[in-house]
Amino acid sequence: MIGPRRLDMLADRIEAACASHKIMAHVYGGTASAHSAVFVMTFEPGHSLRQLMACKDDIQLSLGHPVLIHHTPYVRIRVLGVAP
């Protein structure tokens, strides 16, 4: 399993990648399984999911892993292939 420090580091990298696109986001609630980590994201009003999708490649580069972005009642980011 992925430790809490690693989850915090991944969340910080996601926030930094969003900030480079001028999206002020807060990533929280990191939960881990054997091969992925899932985070919940909120961002300031005035930003859209389309803007977030535009920076998906930068998020993947900063993490070094592919990500899936889901929009349910909130935005979830699943980081795939994360080793413990």
Side-chain angles (χ1 to χ4, degrees):
M1 293 297 281
I2 301 166
R5 292 180 71 185
R6 179 92 189 268
L7 288 172
D8 288 343
M9 182 216 39
L10 292 171
D12 290 343
R13 286 185 179 180
I14 293 169
E15 289 176 352
C18 290
S20 72
H21 285 262
K22 299 189 180 359
I23 299 171
M24 296 301 117
H26 180 66
V27 178
Y28 59 95
T31 56
S33 67
H35 301 288
S36 66
V38 178
F39 298 93
V40 175
M41 171 189 273
T42 58
F43 41 85
E44 291 184 4
H47 298 293
S48 67
L49 185 62
R50 182 175 37 194
Q51 290 173 306
L52 178 61
M53 295 303 284
C55 75
K56 180 180 176 181
D57 289 340
D58 287 342
I59 293 171
Q60 292 179 130
L61 285 172
S62 70
L63 298 175
H65 297 284
V67 299
L68 298 174
I69 298 175
H70 303 280
H71 186 246
T72 54
Y74 48 88
V75 177
R76 288 186 322 167
I77 297 180
R78 179 178 300 270
V79 182
L80 304 173
V82 179

